[in-house]
Amino acid sequence: MGGNLGCHRSIPRDPTDLSCGKRKFSAACNFSNILVNHERLNINTATEEELMTLPGVNRSVAQNIVEYRDCIGGFKKVEDLALVSGVGATKLEAIKLEICVSSRTNSSQHSPSSLRRDVEHQPCTGININTATAAQLMSIRGLTEKIVGNIVAYRAEYGPFRSIEDLVRVSHVNSSLLDKIRFQVYVERSRAPSTNTNGGLTGTTKSQPSPTSFSLKSDDLDLPPGGPAQIISGRPNVDPPLGLRDGKPAVRLATWSLQGCSCEKANNPGVREVVCMTLLENEIKILAVQDLVEREALDKFCVELNQGTLASVRTWKWPRGVWKSIVSEKPTGRSSKGESYSGFLWDSSSGIDLKDAVVLDHPVVNGNGNHAHPQLYLAHFLVSQSELSQNQIQTLVILGHFGSSPQSSEFDVLRKEKLCPLVLSSQFTNISTRCPQGTLCLDNIWISRSLKKIYSGHCMVVREGLTNPWIPDNWSWGGVASDHCPVVAEFYINLSSKEMSRPAMAAVDRDMMPKHER
């Protein structure tokens, strides 16, 4: 064993550090031949025993590394080691100076561009959870007979899984177990969208294989370091957009808190695809956005919708529209990353145009003399040339991240103004890969009495298509674009004077401070 350890540089970068006695050696024993060899440990060829000489790597973690390596055909980058169960960011940071990545025949490290090209030719390894029999699933280390039965039953009821992350929806499968079996399985087909989240807007989607989330041949994409083993994105195929409800023209208005959206986040191709394709697939024509930590971030989505650099956006079968955006000049709220802004995206080709927008000053100031957050971002839109006049100011929508259930007493002020919420407190609007169905009602759309005349009665919380393989999920991949779901409401437009006395619509973006931040 001592001879094999010669490839591992487990000594101080400065040999004189030996005298101070503060160095914690990663090797279990101290061999003299190690002291003259400065090579790093190649994690693509190292044995379990050699991997165990790394700090914090025990037999179980070493086995996980070997199994994951065999499953994916070898690590492409040192950072990929963080995706192995039992390693993570902290342990990787402690050992990354002692390891390297090279193939069995070539010592050069793969570049991100070569990774993108090579993925096309990498066969799927492991067990396809969509086609495997119960006996085959039992061969997966970590699965019991009961869990296998739950997987088969879930698959029979809801159809094929769309991604590996969907396994957490199966009873007795948690994130810890998923990390353990992730490298033993793969998904080949996309899963049909669930039927309990469309809130009345049914019959708009059906399960179909989806295009890749972006061109594999493009070297210009701003891809996260490391990256997932597979880069195929599962998008639902949708029916042609009609823009009608009961034979009448209708427009869909939505709100979405993008959870600390910076330019870096908006540049992630997975996030861009989720946001843009969600707008197109759900026929959303006006989107109120909250929690932008950089004003320029919203423009990234606007450019993508208009130019279509991602394959899924570029190959959209129907017109993408002509999109415009606006972001508040002043901060309207606070997030975990500091001050945040609100904004709007809208499709001007659908007869929608912005008249004006302004941040309403908060009447309360803090001890520094600054306005308290949150503040209202008020926008007046022209919808099908129906201009909002002064005596129609009550025709409004208040929408955004409210941070509380609509039953909360803090919204009594809205109820006194005869506004009503469209999303019930029993309908959750948050989402995560660990809890896809959510647990809280944080986002909402409140409409005035006059808008009830043009409200089509259809409102939904969008849950499908919100994950992407290129969105980080802690130290894994396939995360959600935001921990908030888009909330969509539908309104009639161009009705006769007998049907509606106030034809236009004003949208107010409301980003209320969650209770724990007040």
Side-chain angles (χ1 to χ4, degrees), residues 478-498:
V480 293
S482 169
D483 55 13
H484 294 260
C485 298
V487 178
V488 185
E490 188 178 72
F491 299 89
Y492 294 119
I493 57 176
N494 291 339
L495 298 182
S496 66
S497 57
K498 292 182 180 180

Side-chain angles (χ1 to χ4, degrees), residues 285 306 321-324 345-354:
K285 300 303 180 182
N306 290 326
V322 179
W323 291 83
K324 297 181 179 180
L345 271 171
W346 69 94
D347 179 12
S348 62
S349 68
S350 298
I352 301 171
D353 200 5
L354 178 71

